[in-house]
Amino acid sequence: MNIPFLSFTAQNNLIEEEIRTAFERVFQNKWYVLGKEVSDFEQAYARYNHVQHCIGVANGLDALHIALKTLDIGKGDEVITPSNTFIATWLAISQTGATIVPVEPDAQTYNIDVDRLAASITPKTKAIMPVHLYGQACRMDAVMQIAQKHNLFVVEDNAQAQGCTYHGKLTGSFGHINATSFYPTKNLGAYGDAGALTTNDAGLAQKANLLRNYGSEKKYYNEVIGVNSRLDELQAAFLSVKLKYLNGWLDERKRIAAAYTEQLSGIPGLILPFTAPGADHVYHLYVVRTTKRNELEEYLNRNGVGTGIHYPVAPHLQKAYQHLGYKKGDFPVAEEIAETCLSLPLNPGMGMDEINYVCRQIHGFFK
Ligand SMILES: Cc1ncc(COP(=O)(O)O)c(C=O)c1O
């Protein structure tokens, strides 16, 4: 058998007709950037995410960056974020000139350890940026309580968790202004780059609207120094098609994850995903851990099973962040995750025969 880590085939087959129709509509409309398709998608996504406002932008990194800019975060400010996230979370903070304050994750859920949050707050702290990593919701009740107590903003990085909930409330609707990514591999993925901000604050939404479009509301009149991070009509039209299928695809992701968990539990030396009480997990990724990660990866790849590593190097050890002066051992939980994590194939449309095959190979390796 050959099971790729990523496959769009089943999803594409299901929606091919609708995607072609959407393309044809945009092509014929002859309006390609920030138009009706974008505002229709923004309204649909805001409804889906139970927020008042959605602002479409070019990608998830820009969404995070623009979110911080709407809060006037910049040089001299500190932003707390996990030590074990995808690099974009850190980059967004760097782009504002603010200081990144990494906080270790919980060793079981891999999400920011809220019990360590308060200790990292200083008079310069302006915001907390939790990341719903791999598709599991952070402990948002505790995050919001701490933020409120210390008068901080919260910006959720919801790139990996669209449709996820914490105690029934959707991620991306807790923070003051939040960001998500529609990169093709995401649970809701475009056919190219795309992203969005979500908020219930009309003022912040208005600011994000300006910032994404050169800081301009009226063409050629610029109120603030903005960027060009607009969502195009094609991607918005495609996303509107795919949004209708998202909940079904999330159910499928959960079904595949449950099958993995059932078949893989009890293997000594293999750590399976742990979902915290109250948290939902929409399994953007199914991440297992083992000290024999590299050998397991090599074995699976050799036997036709594609895998991923999310992520092999913790941000503080990246060359790009050398100037911060961190060294190995500074964030041991993040480092251990980076050294031991392995993501299994998880694609809506995956058959039981494929899931069984992956599990058989893993059992074979540990024997
Ligand atoms: C947690 C997280 N934050 C931010 C991003 C950035 O999104 P994008 O690739 O659309 O810039 C991603 C995905 O790539 C991500 O996984």
Side-chain angles (χ1 to χ4, degrees), residues 59-62 64 85-86 88-89 131 133 157 159-160 181-183 186 193-194 284 311:
N59 56 65
L61 171 58
D62 282 358
L64 287 165
T85 180
F86 178 60
T89 323
V131 181
L133 199 69
D157 181 339
Q160 303 191 354
S181 162
F182 304 120
Y183 184 73
K186 296 292 190 270
D193 276 313
H284 170 56
Y311 300 91

Side-chain angles (χ1 to χ4, degrees), residues 136-202:
Q136 177 172 190
C138 296
R139 280 175 56 194
M140 287 311 297
D141 52 352
V143 171
M144 297 311 293
Q145 263 168 27
I146 294 168
Q148 198 170 17
K149 183 170 167 203
H150 297 271
N151 207 15
L152 306 175
F153 292 115
V154 173
V155 176
E156 290 170 76
D157 181 339
N158 200 33
Q160 303 191 354
Q162 294 119 5
C164 188
T165 56
Y166 188 74
H167 283 292
K169 183 170 156 69
L170 283 156
T171 58
S173 73
F174 286 89
H176 297 82
I177 184 161
N178 312 301
T180 196
S181 162
F182 304 120
Y183 184 73
T185 59
K186 296 292 190 270
N187 289 4
L188 177 61
Y191 291 98
D193 276 313
L197 297 100
T198 51
T199 182
N200 282 315
D201 185 314

